Each structure stands twice: as structure tokens, then as C-alpha cells.
Amino acid sequence: MNENNLSDLVAAAPSTANERFKQSFSSWFWGSITAAVVLHFAVFEFWPQMETADVSINADEMEVVAPPPDVDIPPPPEAIRRPATPVISTAAIDEDLTIETTTFDTWTTDDLPPPPEEAETADISQAPQFVVHTVRPKLLNETDVNRTLEREYPALLKDAGIGGTTTVWMFIDEEGVVQNQQVREGSGHAGLDNAALKIVTVARFSPAQNRDKTVALWISMDIKFVAN
């Protein structure tokens, strides 16, 4: 067999799968590229148009708040001063200094001023006023006062069922006798007030006392009119 016949046999022998793949690679590669390009153009051409949504934010107008006014901080209080240090005096003191003994025998009344003139005693019986006393007067004839009250009660007011209370000021002398009287607080009816002034004139009291002395003074007493 010659060499020409050997080459012809090799050329006529069937190729392997790998060789066939290598031979078809170029056609597959360019075919794929072409298909991809055509697909992209189709997508860009026929795909629906998309728009972005409006996501802007409308912010309200901001109000500027004025800052608070400046506050003046007061200065701290001053420190408390320390007390002064006492200074001991260096003055010389006579050790023989003595105080003369005072006795009542050496007192004299030659240079005393004259006693003050006695002031005129004011008439306290004209108007109610306070008088110093230690023992108050006490009513001695309550029965006579009640009997006089029944007699002096105005008949018209009593029959009409009108009553009341009259408070009367009374000036009682040192003997316990009523010397002056006046209405302190009225009852609201002039007839009852006038009757009360008559009733207290029959009252007798034990004298008021200021320690061991009898005194004249003003007292007040309620006269009650009660209609039956």
C-alpha cells in the first residue's frame, strides 16, 4: 500500500464527537449572539414604558420659636462675717477700789420735790366707763325687781304677745344704790325700753369692792319681757 492510499483512508475515516463539536462551535456561537441581540431589541421595542412615581415631600412652613429671654442669675450671697475677736484691755485697775456701803440712815428728805397736786376727780356717773374692782356687785332684791317688771310691762304689748330684751347700763354708788341708768341695747320697742329704765331703779346691790375699799361703778343688766 502506498502513501497516497494511506492518506485517502485517513481522510475517509469518520471524525470523533469532540472534533465534530469543535467544527460546529463557530456556528453555535454566532447564532447565539444573533439571537440575544434580536431578543434585546424586541424587549426594548415592545415592553411597556415605565415611569417613576412622584415621591416628593411637601413640607409645611416651619414656625420659628423665639428663644426664652435671658435670666440674670443673682450673685451668690456674701459670706457670713466671722465675729470679731475680743480684745483684752490692758488698762490698769486699782485693786483698792471699793464701793461705799449704802444705808438708809444717810438718806434725807430735805431736797425732795413737793408732792403733786391731787387732780380733780372726774364724775364717772355721767357716762359708762370701766372702774377697777375686784368684787362685782350682787343683786339683793330679785323678787322686788320681778314684781316691778310685771307691773311696768306695757299692757298693750303684753296682750299683743310682744316681748323682748333690753340691756340697761346702771351706775351703782358705794352703797349699792342705782344712781343713773341708760339703755345700752334696745329691744326694738320704745315702750319696753322705757319700762326697763323704771324697773332698774328699784334694784339694790351689794357694793362693789376694789380690794378692801368700796367703789362706785357701771354695770349692765338684761331686762327680759316675756308675754304669757
Side-chain angles (χ1 to χ4, degrees):
M1 183 178 295
N2 55 21
E3 294 179 0
N4 292 328
N5 294 331
L6 181 59
S7 59
D8 292 337
L9 292 174
V10 172
S15 60
T16 61
N18 187 20
E19 291 177 351
R20 289 193 302 271
F21 175 77
K22 290 179 180 181
Q23 292 175 0
S24 62
F25 172 77
S26 177
S27 58
W28 280 104
F29 173 77
W30 291 110
S32 300
I33 294 297
T34 302
V37 172
V38 173
L39 179 62
H40 280 74
F41 274 104
V43 170
F44 290 140
E45 181 65 21
F46 300 105
W47 196 263
Q49 299 294 327
M50 301 180 65
E51 296 180 358
T52 59
D54 186 8
V55 294
S56 59
I57 300 175
N58 296 326
D60 296 336
E61 184 179 357
M62 299 181 63
E63 181 180 357
V64 179
V65 180
D70 295 337
V71 179
D72 296 334
I73 301 177
E78 298 181 358
I80 301 175
R81 297 181 180 180
R82 299 183 62 183
T85 304
V87 179
I88 301 176
S89 175
T90 57
I93 300 177
D94 188 1
E95 296 180 357
D96 297 334
L97 180 63
T98 57
I99 299 176
E100 183 180 359
T101 304
T102 302
T103 61
F104 292 98
D105 297 337
T106 59
W107 286 13
T108 61
T109 58
D110 297 337
D111 299 332
L112 295 178
E117 296 181 0
E118 294 183 0
E120 296 182 0
T121 304
D123 186 6
I124 64 174
S125 64
Q126 299 303 314
Q129 56 185 288
F130 176 75
V131 177
V132 179
H133 61 280
T134 56
V135 178
R136 288 178 55 84
K138 182 179 180 181
L139 181 62
L140 301 178
N141 59 338
E142 183 177 357
T143 302
D144 295 339
V145 172
N146 290 333
R147 188 180 299 114
T148 306
L149 188 151
E150 292 292 336
R151 184 176 65 251
E152 296 294 338
Y153 197 153
L156 293 177
L157 297 177
K158 186 176 182 180
D159 294 341
I162 298 175
T165 301
T166 302
T167 304
V168 180
W169 279 114
M170 296 178 293
F171 179 72
I172 303 172
D173 61 11
E174 291 85 347
E175 302 297 330
V177 179
V178 178
Q179 299 292 345
N180 195 2
Q181 64 276 349
Q182 56 183 272
V183 176
R184 179 179 182 181
E185 185 175 354
S187 62
H189 300 279
L192 298 180
D193 297 340
N194 294 332
L197 294 176
K198 296 179 182 179
I199 294 170
V200 297
T201 58
V202 302
R204 293 296 180 267
F205 295 87
S206 61
Q209 292 184 343
N210 183 21
R211 296 191 178 184
D212 57 346
K213 294 182 179 180
T214 58
V215 292
L217 80 169
W218 286 86
I219 65 171
S220 64
M221 184 171 68
D222 293 338
I223 305 298
K224 297 182 180 180
F225 298 90
V226 180
N228 297 327

